[in-house]
Amino acid sequence: ASSKFNYPLIGFSMSNAHPFREVFFERYKLSITDDRREVTLSFTDFISSGKFSWPEYISDYRIFLTIFELPDVEWDELQRKYSFLYQKDSLGMKTTFSEWYEVRKVKKDIQLTASFTEDYAPRAKTTVLVAMGFEFATAMQHGIPYLVKDNGTMAIIGCF
């Protein structure tokens, strides 16, 4: 059952070309409410210059935070296979994005929150997975980013 054995998922990178741990080098704080509805990602005194490793020049970045439920699986004796306890399309998911920030040598406090809707609560026998990602741009012109090849990277940073 995944909700009882979920720690191996932490650190899983969604990008083979640009693994998260090889791209981003900084500590962050992750907190979740007791009801598992809301997750907050915080950076205190974050200096973005020198914190990213990318093959192209990066002038700007934005952070995204995704939370989603992963249902447990249980052995189905009749079908002789493991099955999800819930239909995947009935589970909660939410992504939020920061604004675009310049890569700079100036300290910045950043806080990003992702919440399920007010009328939705994560179910029992599910894991709330938290993924953080970055999108990178080589330039911004009139507020429009020129995204780098492959756009960025993402990884699972928490399981609750």
Side-chain angles (χ1 to χ4, degrees):
S2 62
S3 63
K4 295 178 184 172
F5 188 70
N6 58 34
Y7 65 88
L9 297 171
I10 296 173
F12 178 80
S13 181
M14 315 301 184
S15 173
N16 289 331
H18 306 284
F20 189 84
R21 289 183 181 163
E22 294 177 16
V23 172
F24 179 64
F25 319 104
E26 184 63 26
R27 294 183 189 270
Y28 51 85
K29 181 181 175 192
L30 190 64
S31 58
I32 188 165
T33 56
D34 290 338
D35 62 3
R36 303 186 308 149
R37 274 195 61 257
E38 184 174 283
V39 175
T40 301
L41 173 69
S42 303
F43 296 92
T44 303
D45 293 336
F46 179 60
I47 300 172
S48 55
S49 180
K51 298 298 191 290
F52 304 113
S53 175
W54 198 260
E56 295 173 70
Y57 169 77
I58 299 170
S59 68
D60 298 85
Y61 67 97
R62 76 173 175 173
I63 305 165
F64 56 97
L65 182 65
T66 298
I67 59 173
F68 61 98
E69 279 183 287
L70 179 67
D72 284 0
V73 293
E74 288 186 348
W75 181 252
D76 184 331
E77 200 56 55
L78 291 173
Q79 296 184 19
R80 308 281 306 144
K81 68 175 188 171
Y82 284 98
S83 299
F84 288 111
L85 289 179
Y86 305 106
Q87 295 293 328
K88 288 185 251 176
D89 60 351
S90 70
L91 298 170
M93 181 174 165
K94 178 67 176 179
T95 301
T96 57
F97 294 87
S98 72
E99 61 188 89
W100 283 95
Y101 301 113
E102 282 185 68
V103 175
R104 301 180 63 192
K105 293 181 181 181
V106 177
K107 291 179 182 178
K108 180 176 220 40
D109 290 340
I110 300 172
Q111 187 168 310
L112 193 59
T113 299
S115 311
F116 294 117
T117 59
E118 286 184 25
D119 61 343
Y120 188 85
R123 299 178 189 184
K125 295 191 176 183
T126 64
T127 298
V128 173
L129 285 147
V130 182
M132 172 173 55
F134 291 93
E135 282 185 296
F136 300 120
T138 56
M140 292 287 278
Q141 188 170 21
H142 305 291
I144 298 171
Y146 289 85
L147 297 178
V148 297
K149 182 180 182 234
D150 299 330
N151 295 357
T153 189
M154 181 179 192
I156 296 172
I157 61 169
C159 297
F160 303 96

